[in-house]
Structure formats: structure tokens, C-alpha cells
Amino acid sequence: RQLDRPQADAVRQLELPGVLFLKESKRYYPMRELAAQILGFAGLDNRGLEGLEQVYNDVIAGEPAERKVLRDARRGTVLLPDISFGEAKPGRSLHLTIDSWIQHLLERELAAAVKRTRARSASAVLLDPNTGAVLAMASWPTFDPNHFNRSSRESWRNRAVMDAFEPGSTFKMVTAAAALEDNLVDPTDVFDCENGSVVVQGVRIHDHKSFGDLTFREIIAK
């Protein structure tokens, strides 16, 4: 199934008796590793197995044509002109907000960071701050979807959306912005930081440093 052209030509030149050839379509990813975890890949029958290929398989696959035929006792097929057959319906197109050049740069820098820090895995997301559109999303290690069976399942993971990560204080700005936007707090409001620790559902969580009373503005600064 789905031999590459050079392989098929080599077998054809052998002129083996009983060996016939049948053309079929094959999914090909011209940019190879670029956005591999986002796009995913399709299997032998061109059915999506990972990524957007899997999620939107029924949207982009279309519908095959159906034809009714008569068969004789020897299971021979007879086509009659007055027997109707359905038309194949092409699949719909799927357009992403991903910018291929920005995606390339992000993947390049992510790979360099992994090499520099000797990390086992990494992920990065680049958003348009005006619209929230995802311009690039990269994960490492990566793989070539044209030869997905040569890579590990770990490399197929879109870590940016599948792996859990505790952002800690880096997410504090998001919480603070939401509170300010909804007028739930004023920058001068004072909060008791309980000397650097608090009990949540029976578990004591410690801050990096002990603080007592701080204004909302000081909490963001410290």
C-alpha cells in the first residue's frame, strides 16, 4: 500500500507474473516537521489519526460516490445505464491562523532553547494580542508526519494544549487584570498576605517570602 514512486517503478520493472498495480491517493506534508503536532497526520486510508487531521476528519474528507451494480452467479459485475449512482462530494477546506514563517521561527528558537538548557521537552505559543489568534504553536521533540511511524508517540503530543502546567506568579497578571476590569478591587485596597503562607483545602501553601499587609499594587510589584 502507498509505495513511493521509485519503489513502485522498481517493482514494475521486475515484471512479476500476477503482480498488478492500483493507483490510490496518499497524504503528503510538504513542510515536513513544520507545525507537525498541530496538523497531526492521516493513516494508510487517509483517515486522520492525530491533530487537526483527526479532529476535522469528517469535515475535510468529503463523501465518496456510491454506485449500484448487478452481479451474476460468478460475482461478475454488470453496469447498466439506467441504474443511478451518487456523485462524490469534496471535503471542505480548513484555514488556520498559523503564520508559517512565524511558526518556523518559533520552532527554531524552541529547539535552540532545548539544546541550550538540555530540557527533555518544551512548548511555546505565540498569540496576536489584538485578536487572540494563534500565530504559532510549537512543541519539542517534533517529528515528520510523512513518516510518523518512525517516531515515538511522545513526539506526536501537542504539549502546548495537552500538558498541564502550573504557571504560578506569571499568571497573577491575568487574575489581577480581570479583577480590575470588573471593578472588584482598587489598586489601593489592602490585603492580609498572612506572613507568606495560607491553608487551602487542608494544604499549607508557602510564598517565596513572608509579607503582612500589602496594597493590591504592592502585591503585583512583590
Side-chain angles (χ1 to χ4, degrees):
R1 295 287 305 275
Q2 296 187 352
L3 288 176
D4 291 334
R5 179 61 65 84
Q7 293 175 310
D9 291 341
V11 176
R12 187 178 283 106
Q13 290 174 5
L14 297 176
E15 298 182 350
L16 300 174
V19 176
L20 306 175
F21 295 85
L22 178 67
K23 287 185 178 181
E24 60 180 350
S25 61
K26 180 180 180 180
R27 180 76 90 240
Y28 178 66
Y29 303 90
M31 294 187 177
R32 299 185 295 278
E33 292 88 354
L34 191 75
Q37 290 92 352
I38 299 175
L39 298 178
F41 52 82
L44 196 62
D45 295 309
N46 289 327
R47 183 167 187 83
L49 300 178
E50 288 286 338
L52 295 179
E53 288 274 26
Q54 181 185 44
V55 175
Y56 290 98
N57 181 81
D58 295 340
V59 175
I60 62 179
E63 297 179 12
E66 294 184 355
R67 172 175 288 185
K68 294 182 179 180
V69 298
L70 296 178
R71 280 187 170 176
D72 57 25
R74 296 184 178 182
R75 300 191 66 77
T77 300
V78 179
L79 297 177
L80 298 179
D82 58 341
I83 296 182
S84 62
F85 58 91
E87 294 289 340
K89 296 181 180 179
R92 297 168 61 185
S93 297
L94 185 64
H95 296 269
L96 308 183
T97 58
I98 298 295
D99 184 300
S100 60
W101 176 242
I102 298 178
Q103 179 73 25
H104 165 71
L105 294 177
L106 187 65
E107 291 185 8
R108 185 188 68 183
E109 295 305 313
L110 189 65
V114 167
K115 183 178 181 180
R116 184 173 64 254
T117 61
R118 300 179 183 178
R120 287 181 294 180
S121 62
S123 62
V125 181
L126 198 151
L127 305 177
D128 183 333
N130 298 310
T131 65
V134 180
L135 300 179
M137 180 183 292
S139 297
W140 195 94
T142 187
F143 70 102
D144 183 351
N146 293 303
H147 308 287
F148 65 87
N149 55 347
R150 300 178 186 175
S151 55
S152 66
R153 295 187 65 90
E154 278 297 302
S155 65
W156 302 350
R157 292 176 61 85
N158 187 347
R159 297 179 179 276
V161 296
M162 296 181 69
D163 288 6
F165 174 72
E166 184 180 334
S169 290
T170 60
F171 198 75
K172 184 164 59 177
M173 301 301 293
V174 179
T175 311
L180 288 170
E181 186 174 39
D182 288 343
N183 295 316
L184 298 177
V185 66
D186 186 87
T188 60
D189 288 348
V190 177
F191 291 86
D192 181 7
C193 298
E194 302 188 31
N195 292 319
S197 70
V198 62
V199 176
V200 180
Q201 294 185 347
V203 178
R204 181 168 293 279
I205 300 174
H206 294 275
D207 203 349
H208 72 287
K209 188 176 181 181
S210 296
F211 293 107
D213 291 342
L214 292 177
T215 65
F216 189 77
R217 182 180 286 109
E218 289 173 331
I219 289 174
I220 299 302
K222 297 180 181 296

